[in-house]
Amino acid sequence: MKVKKFMAASMPDAMKQIRTELGNDAVILNSRVVYTGGVLGFFKKRNIEVMAALDANQESEQKPSVKPAAVQDHSDDYKGNTEDAQFSSLKTSDELIREISSLKQMMSSLASSNQAIPVHPEAIRKAQFILDEQEIDKSVQDHVLQALLEKWYLRGANAKDSEIEAWLHEELIKQIEDIPFEGISFSKKYINVAGPTGVGKTTTLAKMAAECVIKHRKKAAFITADTYRIAAIDQLKTYASILNMPLEVCYTIEDFRQAADKLKEFDVVLIDTAGRNFRNKQYVEDLKNVIDFENEMETFLVLSLTSKQKDMEEIYNQFSIIDIDKLIFTKADETSTYGSMYNIIHKYKKGAAYITNGQDVPDDILMAGPEAIVKQLMGNKK
């Protein structure tokens, strides 16, 4: 595909240049008003900058002396006071699909070779701004934006902002909709909550316990292996007292097995683990010396949305020596950027069970799912 930038005093002049150099099959990728020249910031000249492209196959077959009947000249319709107008030639569906395919290949090629990618049309750039602002991974952005660009061209390069937001919402969901999302499955008796220090495991566990007791009417109990923090056991005792749940404290795997035997009549046993430095792999290994992961265990890894994505990935990799069933993302109320949550789910193909957004028990917890994740990402615009 041949891509070229044109500068002219008006859109009709730019269109004439494009037809002369690229022919009637050229596609307008982007246009904008620019100001050049002038003295001391005054008397600048207003110009139209247009980015146009032509498929290589069409370029070789083009006959400039013959104007195809299907192509219509829209240059006379341009209004001089419009600062960012989008134009495209009218083509058959097959021609348009070929152009879109060529454009997608060109973008992928440029991205892989670290070359500058042509600017998207203004309408699509608004969607790109949302993705950039939320720090969505570049690979996901490329896929989603290409899908939006295809829909935009198929709509005749004309769509309302609300329509493009709806497309963005839909495409983001498509990327993760095949990943299993759910809360506690109740398929296993033991519910283990693991993660690094400071992510809110104990409070999250209390919220999950309240859901089990109040919503699902389960007979539930607590086991804590968090014997490193002085206040951890007292905090869980308070929640246990409020929810009328027994609490067992474990220091060794023998303690855990004895506690499991005491609680054998209960439907669900929720386990709180100690938060330690996630960079210390030995900490994760130590969990196996206290908790019997082979015994009907469903494990949730807790990650804080205030953490860097790189740290989240390191945490996930450290804890992956035990079977992680689902993720829980905490502190959603302490950030305005949720791209890392989406990126982690997409990268590891591991669904989220809950999102927590405050300290109140049992209220500040949301059931996670593709719809909830994307709504959080887009600021509940849908």
Side-chain angles (χ1 to χ4, degrees):
M1 176 172 282
K2 182 178 181 180
V3 180
K4 188 170 182 178
K5 185 187 294 183
F6 297 87
M7 188 81 71
S10 65
M11 182 56 78
D13 291 341
M15 295 294 287
K16 290 176 183 177
Q17 291 183 35
I18 293 169
R19 288 193 183 89
T20 300
E21 296 196 33
L22 299 181
N24 291 311
D25 287 325
V27 175
I28 304 300
L29 299 180
N30 177 256
S31 65
R32 66 187 181 115
V33 175
V34 296
Y35 293 89
T36 59
V39 179
L40 299 177
F42 297 97
F43 310 112
K44 289 185 177 181
K45 185 178 180 182
R46 181 181 183 278
N47 291 295
I48 303 296
E49 181 185 275
V50 181
M51 184 81 71
L54 177 67
D55 184 271
N57 294 327
Q58 291 174 326
E59 182 182 7
S60 63
E61 297 171 2
Q62 182 178 267
K63 297 180 180 180
S65 61
V66 179
K67 183 175 182 179
V71 178
Q72 297 179 9
D73 187 346
H74 292 277
S75 61
D76 293 336
D77 297 331
Y78 179 74
K79 305 299 182 183
N81 61 350
T82 302
E83 294 195 352
D84 199 355
Q86 304 296 334
F87 291 84
S88 65
S89 301
L90 298 180
K91 303 175 181 297
T92 66
S93 296
D94 289 343
E95 288 175 330
L96 192 56
I97 290 170
R98 284 200 300 271
E99 286 181 358
I100 293 169
S101 178
S102 296
L103 181 60
K104 290 165 70 175
Q105 291 175 8
M106 177 194 70
M107 292 175 66
S108 298
S109 175
L110 290 174
S112 62
S113 61
N114 294 321
Q115 297 182 43
I117 299 176
V119 177
H120 290 299
E122 174 65 24
I124 304 300
R125 287 206 300 271
K126 292 178 181 179
Q128 185 177 17
F129 176 79
I130 294 174
L131 298 176
D132 282 336
E133 189 178 47
Q134 289 297 318
E135 300 178 2
I136 295 294
D137 280 347
K138 188 65 170 59
S139 60
V140 177
Q141 284 200 35
D142 289 344
H143 188 94
V144 170
L145 290 173
Q146 285 181 8
L148 297 188
L149 192 62
E150 182 174 342
K151 290 182 178 181
W152 189 75
Y153 274 121
L154 290 174
R155 282 290 304 272
N158 184 27
K160 296 179 181 178
D161 288 349
S162 58
E163 291 179 289
I164 294 174
E165 280 186 8
W167 294 346
L168 177 60
H169 183 92
E170 178 184 354
E171 290 299 328
L172 286 171
I173 286 180
K174 280 183 181 179
Q175 299 298 307
I176 59 174
E177 64 182 353
D178 293 332
I179 301 171
F181 285 82
E182 61 179 1
I184 299 173
S185 66
F186 297 108
S187 61
K188 297 179 180 179
K189 180 174 181 176
Y190 298 96
I191 308 301
N192 175 41
V193 173
T197 185
V199 296
K201 292 189 303 300
T202 302
T203 304
T204 300
L205 192 72
K207 294 173 184 177
M208 295 168 68
E211 180 186 352
C212 292
V213 173
I214 299 171
K215 181 178 179 180
H216 298 285
R217 304 294 181 184
K218 298 291 184 180
K219 187 179 180 183
F222 283 125
I223 288 178
T224 180
D226 188 357
T227 57
Y228 292 90
R229 289 191 303 129
I230 296 174
I233 297 176
D234 289 339
Q235 182 184 8
L236 201 57
K237 278 182 178 178
T238 300
Y239 292 133
S241 176
I242 293 172
L243 295 169
N244 194 27
M245 293 171 56
L247 169 65
E248 296 290 332
V249 182
C250 299
Y251 296 89
T252 65
I253 197 164
E254 288 75 18
D255 292 340
F256 179 85
R257 289 169 179 160
Q258 290 176 13
D261 186 61
K262 287 182 182 178
L263 302 172
K264 62 184 178 181
E265 301 300 325
F266 285 78
D267 301 318
V268 179
V269 177
L270 297 102
I271 304 167
D272 190 20
T273 59
R276 305 282 292 281
N277 186 343
F278 69 86
R279 289 187 174 86
N280 185 355
K281 191 172 184 178
Q282 186 59 44
Y283 157 58
V284 185
E285 293 283 356
D286 289 345
L287 288 178
K288 294 183 176 181
N289 297 325
V290 180
I291 298 173
D292 185 0
F293 287 96
E294 304 300 322
N295 188 11
E296 294 186 74
M297 188 73 65
E298 186 172 17
T299 298
F300 296 84
L301 177 62
V302 183
L303 300 171
S304 169
L305 288 171
T306 59
S307 301
K308 298 177 182 177
Q309 182 176 328
K310 185 177 179 181
D311 289 341
M312 288 189 188
E313 292 177 1
E314 191 172 345
I315 292 167
Y316 183 93
N317 291 329
Q318 289 282 44
F319 278 88
S320 62
I321 65 172
I322 60 177
D323 290 333
I324 299 170
D325 294 285
K326 295 288 185 305
L327 304 171
I328 296 175
F329 293 96
T330 60
K331 304 188 180 182
D333 58 316
E334 297 180 24
T335 184
S336 59
T337 305
Y338 305 99
S340 57
M341 171 170 58
Y342 187 95
N343 296 335
I344 293 292
I345 292 170
H346 184 270
K347 179 174 182 177
Y348 295 107
K349 307 303 177 188
K350 188 70 67 175
Y354 303 100
I355 303 169
T356 71
N357 55 357
Q359 296 295 313
D360 290 345
V361 178
D363 297 326
D364 295 335
I365 187 168
L366 306 172
M367 188 72 70
E371 184 74 25
I373 297 291
V374 174
K375 277 188 175 182
Q376 193 84 45
L377 194 70
M378 295 185 64
N380 294 310
K381 289 183 179 182
K382 284 294 293 172

